[in-house]
Amino acid sequence: MHSAPGLVAILAYDGLCTFEFGIAVEIFGLPRPEFRFPWYEHCIVAVEPGPLRAMGGIRILAEAGLERLAEARTIIVPGWRGWSEPPPTELLQALRLAHGRGARILSICSGVFVPAAAGLLDGRRATTHWRYAQELAARFPLIEVDPDVLYVDAGQVITSAGSAAGIDACLHLVARDFGTQVANTVARRLVTPPQRTGGQAQFIPTPVSRTPRNDLSRVMQWARERLEQPLAVRQLAERAAMSERTFLRRFTEATGMAPKAWLQHERLARARELLESTGLGSERIAELCGYRSAETFRVAFRARVGLPPSTYRERFGRGEPPPAE
């Protein structure tokens, strides 16, 4: 049984970034009759008196003011109207108070400048759209700015890169709360691929690979069907009928990830599914996902997911109980 995930407060402000706002409303505010457990409550919180103008000529009348942040378990900052414009003092104070009592804060794109101004990212790693990364680092030198990733989960604060990366960050939070199967179900309803790993590059120098997309897709699918095997880059390159050097370059151009990093991501995604839906023990899961030992698997899983496999299963598992080990 899933516990209620609490209230998600989505900020609205004059000059609202419409796409980022829509991402948050779609993921956290849309009814989910496909799930038989409590979904997020949500409300739109006005940063300032309305009506508020949004990009595209839209006007918004929010249902609540900043006082509602006192009840929120999660606060979404969907962009900001300008990195050079300081957020209102009242908003920063409300965020500090919410953070102090344990609320999660997720920023999309330029929205990172709001928790940064509140001092909530000092001493932490964070990201934003690659166009704003240099300015973020210059204005807030206590933040470790990583301009090369889709999102950063710093525990209580999650920051994401350019607009579409906000989808991945929000799905990541859903996976934290409900597990990957639920997050993937939400992604299917969005008609978007499953949530990408946060370490994937946000800026790919060659957006359209010179290799036809279906060629690499066939190799990737072939590898997914053989994750239990010790796959080498050489094997993948041979399958694609390329030299290893060419394959490495074109795979990275097309996906933003090196083949080894992609394989690790796929293996851990498969491990999550098995932990959630089966009662298989760690030894068997390690074997099915291509790890040399259960201990190697546990170390890799904890490093990427932030939880040991046993704790992950206790939280998200819906299969048979695992056998005694």
Side-chain angles (χ1 to χ4, degrees):
M1 294 293 293
H2 295 287
S3 59
L7 176 68
V8 176
I10 304 170
L11 299 184
Y13 49 87
D14 199 45
L16 181 65
C17 297
T18 310
F19 182 60
E20 290 84 344
F21 179 76
I23 289 170
V25 172
E26 175 80 13
I27 292 178
F28 298 108
L30 201 67
R32 301 285 172 182
E34 61 267 38
F35 299 138
R36 297 182 180 180
F37 48 80
W39 194 242
Y40 301 92
E41 298 177 63
H42 95 288
C43 71
I44 309 303
V45 170
V47 169
E48 53 222 333
L52 306 171
R53 297 168 296 173
M55 294 177 66
I58 299 169
R59 289 183 180 270
I60 293 176
L61 288 172
E63 58 199 83
L66 290 174
E67 69 282 351
R68 194 74 195 278
L69 297 188
E71 305 171 40
R73 185 184 178 211
T74 305
I75 300 168
I76 310 293
V77 188
W80 186 239
R81 55 182 166 236
W83 57 260
S84 60
E85 185 169 343
T89 302
E90 296 80 6
L91 170 60
L92 299 182
Q93 181 62 16
L95 287 178
R96 292 187 192 107
L97 289 172
H99 182 271
R101 62 170 177 77
R104 293 102 53 99
I105 298 170
L106 186 153
S107 69
I108 302 176
C109 196
S110 57
V112 70
F113 286 92
V114 177
L120 303 181
L121 291 171
D122 291 354
R124 298 175 184 245
R125 181 166 159 261
T127 194
T128 186
H129 192 292
W130 56 269
R131 291 178 61 192
Y132 306 136
Q134 188 173 354
E135 183 62 32
L136 181 67
R139 290 185 59 195
F140 302 99
L142 296 180
I143 300 174
E144 181 189 345
V145 179
D146 188 341
D148 298 323
V149 295
L150 293 176
Y151 59 86
V152 171
D153 184 342
Q156 215 177 322
V157 184
I158 299 173
T159 54
S160 68
S163 303
I167 298 174
D168 298 290
C170 290
L171 289 174
H172 170 74
L173 185 57
V174 172
R176 267 181 49 173
D177 288 340
F178 294 104
T180 54
Q181 287 188 328
V182 171
N184 288 343
T185 299
V186 175
R188 282 195 295 272
R189 186 163 170 185
L190 286 166
V191 197
T192 190
Q195 166 247 335
R196 295 173 290 179
T197 176
Q200 186 165 333
Q202 61 170 286
F203 178 68
I204 301 173
T206 309
V208 180
S209 172
R210 287 167 290 182
T211 304
R213 182 180 298 270
N214 60 349
D215 285 358
L216 285 179
S217 294
R218 284 195 294 268
V219 174
M220 293 163 78
Q221 185 58 35
W222 179 85
R224 287 190 188 100
E225 294 169 357
R226 294 163 176 79
L227 290 176
E228 74 283 0
Q229 300 177 16
L231 299 171
V233 175
R234 174 184 52 78
Q235 292 174 273
L236 302 180
E238 289 175 355
R239 192 77 187 176
M242 301 179 194
S243 69
E244 189 170 337
R245 182 175 178 180
T246 298
F247 177 78
L248 279 167
R249 185 181 75 252
R250 294 187 178 177
F251 190 96
T252 305
E253 286 176 353
T255 67
M257 303 176 74
K260 286 184 178 179
W262 177 82
L263 280 170
Q264 173 84 320
H265 172 66
E266 292 296 317
R267 286 187 162 118
L268 290 175
R270 178 62 176 149
R272 284 186 176 191
E273 292 176 0
L274 292 172
L275 286 166
E276 291 176 26
S277 61
T278 76
L280 296 174
S282 293
E283 292 281 356
R284 181 57 176 155
I285 290 177
E287 181 183 341
L288 290 172
C289 296
Y291 289 94
R292 294 180 181 176
S293 68
E295 183 58 28
T296 302
F297 161 61
R298 291 189 190 101
V299 170
F301 191 91
R302 182 162 193 164
R304 175 62 61 86
V305 180
L307 297 170
S310 58
T311 304
Y312 186 89
R313 168 174 267 148
E314 288 173 6
R315 185 171 179 185
F316 301 117
R318 291 181 294 282
E320 295 297 321
E325 295 184 8

